[in-house]
Structure formats: C-alpha cells, structure tokens
Amino acid sequence: MTPVDRAPDPALLDGIERYYDAVPRSAATAEDFGPLTLFVRKGSTGWHYYARPTPGHDGPAATAEDVRRVLERQRELGLPEAFEWVAERNPELRAAVEAAGLTVHEHPLLVLGPQDEAAPAPVLPGPAEVRVLAADAPELAAAVAVPHVAFGNPGTATGTAGAAELAASAATLTADGGVTRTAQRITDGVTVLAAVLEGGEVLCAGQHNPVGPVTEVVGVGTLPSARRRGLGLAVTAALVAHARAHGVRTVFLSASDEDVARIYRRAGFRPFATALIAEPPAPNTEQNGEQSAAPNGERGSEA
C-alpha cells in the first residue's frame, strides 16, 4: 500500500473521527468498554455495526484484554466480530487487536476536504443518466439491490450477473425490510442514494450518509454485466455534487487497495489516512479488488 504522503490535517482527522462515532448512534446503542465502544443495532433489523475507539478517552490505551471483553460481548449477542478505526488516530490499537487473535486489513482512506476541488463528472455513454432518488422512487428497490449483486460477484471484469440477479436481490431486500429501511433513511435526511438509469433499468448505485459538514460515500456498486463503462465514477461524482450543494464540506471514502484508490483519485479524492478493519482470520476469503473496506453493499464501494 502506498503510504500517506504526510501527516493528516488534524482538523480533517477530527471531523472524520467524530463522523465515525456519530453515524451508528442514529440506529444503534453504544456500549461503553472504557477505551472501546461497541455499537449494537436497535431491534432485529438494521445494519450490524462494529467496535471502535472511544472518542475523548483519556485513560490507558486499549489492551488485548479490552479487545477480548468486546469480542465476548459480540459473540454473546451474535454480532460480527469487527473493529474499525483510523491508523493515524489510534496507532496503538493494532497491536492490541492482533494480540487478541484478529486480522487487521489496511484500506486507503481518501478525502475531498473543504479546499479540494472535485473532478468534473464523467460523460455517460448513450442514454444512461444519473439521478438522486427520492424515497418513493419506483427504482429504489433495484438501486438498493445493485451493490449487493456487485459485491456478490467480485472482480473488475464485465460479468454475467444482470437483470435476473438484480430482480431476485431486489425481491429479497424488499421482503426483509432493507428497501423500507433505506427509504426511511432517505426521508430522514441521513442517506442520499444516486443511481445510473438506462432504459428504466438501474445499472449502478451508491450512497452518501451526511452528518453535519461531513459525509462518507458508501455502497457504490455496478451491475456486473454493466461494468467497465465508468458508471461507478459517475455515481460517485453525483454524490459528491449533491453533498457539496447541501453544505457538506468534507467527503471521504475508503478503498480496498491502492489500485482502487487510484480510480477514486480521478474523481478528485486524495490520499489522507489509513482505515483499519480487524476481524477473525479468514484465510480462504478473497477480497474484491474493486470493493472498499466493507464489502456488504452498505459500507463498501466499488469504482
């Protein structure tokens, strides 16, 4: 991984750190473990969150035993055993989570800060267009489903998964409440969803989730049969434009690796820091080279 050229701007880093802590609080309960905080979703639906460093903690740094206490609680609740943090903000945490038996994955964190200029939006081929969708848009279910199909079919090459797979995924997400949840978040103003439409079909979609002056671009995924057309960059550009037009000053995202980070640089993003994700070892799991740090269709992105 290409290292960050210089130490991150402290003000930008503080803003992103506050964002990472604030986002799950709208849909989860925060459990205090001293130097660590575990976010537990409310009810039986919604996103599974993670544990991360406690903002403002002024006591001893987290130890392997602190990490194990959180892991025990995650196992008790049947939650993913996951920790997320920014390396430059909490560099000491890596040793603790590795000592507790977790594997740490590094992901470039890229940013468009208040003084950074976004690149011009790419011109889409043919009749394709990008739209920001309302909560009641008829295309919403397909737009929610596209990233799930994309992340379920990894790789950068054009694939075979297309309309049939998208329809099946949309039906599943409608039945389990995922589409309704996204619609409510759009209504509440905490999620913005943009999609590429062509002939009434959704080919690519993604989200940004603003909290005050900061937002993160997440869940950008392209239908495998429509890859290699620049659709992911078009959605990303639309999300950035929407965020900036609505008062957001800092837009950021995390990429799976440096190859993907180079793609997002074409949209104007610059390397800023390193996002770290710790989870149990999974030696047989391959990461999608197009996806960002969390390949789940809600936090992950692909270009």
Side-chain angles (χ1 to χ4, degrees):
M1 175 178 297
T2 300
V4 177
D5 294 335
R6 59 184 183 274
D9 180 318
L12 275 179
L13 190 57
D14 286 347
I16 290 174
E17 186 71 12
R18 288 192 295 270
Y19 178 94
Y20 274 134
D21 181 73
V23 164
R25 291 182 184 273
S26 65
T29 300
E31 296 192 2
D32 183 7
F33 287 81
L36 299 169
T37 298
L38 172 62
F39 294 102
V40 180
R41 72 179 184 183
K42 299 174 182 177
S44 59
T45 62
W47 302 343
H48 283 301
Y49 287 102
Y50 40 79
R52 68 179 328 277
T54 300
H57 177 72
D58 57 4
T63 65
E65 183 56 36
D66 292 319
V67 174
R68 292 187 188 102
R69 289 196 300 121
V70 175
L71 287 170
E72 289 175 3
R73 179 60 172 159
Q74 289 173 322
R75 292 164 187 158
E76 175 188 346
L77 297 173
L79 302 177
E81 298 172 27
F83 291 73
E84 297 187 13
W85 72 101
V86 178
E88 289 77 3
R89 186 58 179 256
N90 296 96
E92 75 290 339
L93 184 54
R94 180 168 191 156
V97 300
E98 289 180 336
L102 300 181
T103 298
V104 177
H105 305 284
E106 298 184 4
H107 304 278
L109 192 154
L110 297 95
V111 69
L112 273 168
Q115 307 305 319
D116 297 323
E117 185 174 347
V123 177
L124 288 175
E129 61 175 336
V130 183
R131 293 184 201 165
V132 172
L133 301 184
D136 60 353
E139 303 90 356
L140 186 65
V144 172
V146 160
H148 290 264
V149 178
F151 291 121
N153 294 268
T156 60
T158 303
T160 59
E165 289 79 5
L166 181 59
S169 180
T172 298
L173 289 165
T174 298
D176 71 10
V179 175
T180 298
R181 182 171 67 247
T182 300
Q184 187 60 55
R185 289 181 60 85
I186 292 172
T187 299
D188 294 341
V190 295
T191 286
V192 176
L193 190 153
V196 172
L197 305 177
E198 184 176 69
E201 297 184 357
V202 176
L203 301 182
C204 179
Q207 304 174 15
H208 80 85
N209 300 314
V211 177
V214 181
T215 195
E216 182 182 16
V217 173
V218 299
V220 179
T222 301
L223 199 64
S225 61
R227 285 174 177 157
R228 295 186 177 270
R229 296 175 57 187
L231 306 185
L233 276 181
V235 164
T236 301
L239 293 170
V240 170
H242 181 279
R244 287 280 174 85
H246 289 79
V248 173
R249 303 178 70 238
T250 299
V251 185
F252 75 100
L253 56 83
S254 54
S256 63
D257 54 34
E258 183 56 30
D259 288 339
V260 177
R262 281 194 289 270
I263 296 174
Y264 283 108
R265 288 178 192 171
R266 290 162 48 193
F269 287 85
R270 59 181 172 85
F272 176 70
T274 306
L276 299 181
I277 294 179
E279 59 189 5
N284 295 324
T285 299
E286 295 184 359
Q287 291 208 7
N288 178 359
E290 282 192 319
Q291 296 174 6
S292 80
N296 58 27
E298 292 168 337
R299 288 292 309 283
S301 299
E302 67 168 20

